[in-house]
């Protein structure tokens, strides 16, 4: 009973933060810039976040000008209320490598290992690093100020340690992931992150880049994310 309660508490702590999203990343852009020009971006804000208002008024320049002033004030209030220290979660996958007998652990990586063919929740690999892509629910929500694709880079994945298991438990764990000659080395992970920076990409008109820092990571042994295999607090 105690073990079940502990697992429940750990899982609740891992999922307490708000899900990271395209909307939250763009709101951070507004709130984090002290000299943000609300008036200059009000039309794009309406297009991205107040679509009904934009569609109703954008063809009438006089009404639209009035609504831009109204929207600029709303943006300012949103920025004032926005919590720059807010924590967010990203649900993804990691891959565990071959067992390190000296360290007594399976190393983990956010990039795919050769023996795994699973593609779900894979990050995109770019020349300058590993990113997760966040897009709006509707493509027409993007604008010059709030671009369609926000590429989120996990800054401190190197601080995550491997999955500690003694030799016998590790052997049984690997066996549970075997199917014939194939080994599924994919594991679900929930990372809690803090946004550090969001900026427009100078090389692409439809991309913004964001840096986030992992504060906690929970690796699960099941796809439903009920059974915790490893929990790490990177703030310690």
């Amino acid at each position: 009973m105690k073990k079940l309660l502990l697992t429940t508490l750990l899982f609740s702590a891992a999922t307490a933060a708000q899900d990271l999203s395209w909307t939250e990343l763009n709101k951070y852009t507004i709130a984090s810039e002290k000299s943000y020009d609300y008036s200059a971006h009000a039309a794009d804000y309406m297009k991205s976040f107040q679509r009904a208002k934009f569609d109703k008024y954008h063809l009438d320049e006089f009404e639209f000008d009035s609504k831009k002033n109204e929207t600029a004030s709303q943006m300012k209030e949103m920025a004032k209320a926005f919590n720059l220290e807010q924590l967010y979660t990203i649900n993804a996958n990691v891959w565990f490598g071959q067992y390190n007998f000296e360290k007594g652990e399976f190393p983990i990586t956010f990039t795919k290992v050769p023996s795994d063919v699973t593609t779900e929740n894979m990050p995109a690999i770019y020349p300058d690093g590993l990113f997760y892509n966040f897009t709006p629910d509707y493509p027409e929500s993007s604008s010059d100020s709030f671009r369609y694709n926000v590429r989120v880079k996990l800054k401190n994945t190197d601080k995550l340690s491997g999955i500690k298991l003694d030799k016998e438990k590790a052997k049984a764990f690997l066996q549970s992931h075997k199917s014939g000659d194939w080994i599924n080395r994919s594991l679900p992970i929930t990372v809690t992150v803090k946004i550090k920076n969001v900026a427009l990409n100078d090389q692409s008109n439809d991309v913004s880049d964001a840096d986030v820092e992992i504060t906690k990571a929970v690796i699960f042994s099941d796809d439903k994310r009920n059974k915790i295999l490893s929990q790490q607090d990177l703030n310690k």
Side-chain angles (χ1 to χ4, degrees):
M1 182 66 182
K2 287 183 178 179
K3 185 176 180 181
L4 177 61
L5 179 61
L6 177 60
T7 301
T8 303
L9 289 173
L10 289 173
F11 180 69
S12 297
T15 56
Q18 182 176 342
D19 287 345
L20 189 63
S21 67
W22 182 86
T23 297
E24 289 298 304
L25 287 159
N26 279 299
K27 286 183 176 180
Y28 179 92
T29 306
I30 300 169
S32 62
E33 190 174 324
K34 293 181 180 179
S35 58
Y36 193 85
D37 191 339
Y38 299 100
S39 297
H41 298 281
D44 280 351
Y45 187 87
M46 267 193 284
K47 182 181 179 183
S48 296
F49 303 108
Q50 300 176 341
R51 190 69 195 196
K53 184 197 292 188
F54 179 86
D55 289 342
K56 184 175 181 179
Y57 296 109
H58 78 281
L59 294 179
D60 184 322
E61 62 267 36
F62 293 99
E63 286 189 314
F64 194 57
D65 186 66
S66 175
K67 292 301 175 182
K68 282 196 295 184
N69 292 332
E70 175 187 277
T71 300
S73 297
Q74 293 170 346
M75 292 169 69
K76 193 176 296 185
E77 289 302 311
M78 181 281 295
K80 188 185 299 183
F82 191 89
N83 180 12
L84 293 174
E85 299 301 313
Q86 170 71 39
L87 296 177
Y88 298 91
T89 54
I90 301 175
N91 290 323
N93 282 58
V94 287
W95 285 261
F96 65 94
Q98 293 191 345
Y99 187 71
N100 187 315
F101 290 91
E102 292 184 3
K103 293 183 177 180
E105 67 177 32
F106 288 106
I108 60 170
T109 177
F110 278 82
T111 55
K112 193 185 293 186
V113 295
S115 62
D116 186 17
V117 296
T118 303
T119 58
E120 184 181 1
N121 295 328
M122 264 299 293
I125 307 298
Y126 293 89
D128 51 347
L130 178 151
F131 295 87
Y132 289 86
N133 293 323
F134 286 81
T135 57
D137 293 333
Y138 304 100
E140 60 269 22
S141 295
S142 62
S143 59
D144 291 339
S145 302
F146 310 106
R147 294 177 176 178
Y148 177 74
N149 187 10
V150 182
R151 302 189 313 184
V152 173
K153 184 174 184 178
L154 304 177
K155 294 291 289 182
N156 54 339
T157 57
D158 58 317
K159 292 185 178 180
L160 291 174
S161 58
I163 302 167
K164 296 282 186 182
L165 291 171
D166 64 42
K167 186 176 178 180
E168 290 305 313
K169 288 183 178 179
K171 184 177 180 180
F173 176 76
L174 188 66
Q175 287 296 319
S176 70
H177 281 258
K178 291 182 71 173
S179 177
D181 295 331
W182 180 68
I183 300 175
N184 178 11
R185 292 183 177 267
S186 173
L187 291 171
I189 187 172
T190 296
V191 290
T192 303
V193 301
K194 182 186 293 185
I195 304 173
K196 305 300 288 185
N197 182 61
V198 182
L200 300 178
N201 186 302
D202 294 334
Q203 306 301 317
S204 175
N205 291 329
D206 65 349
V207 173
S208 292
D209 288 312
D211 294 329
V212 301
E213 184 177 85
I214 301 172
T215 61
K216 292 182 181 179
V218 181
I219 301 174
F220 300 90
S221 59
D222 66 311
D223 290 337
K224 293 183 178 180
R225 301 173 189 265
N226 290 326
K227 300 175 183 177
I228 294 175
L229 182 62
S230 172
Q231 180 170 261
Q232 301 176 40
D233 188 343
L234 275 63
N235 281 332
K236 292 182 178 179

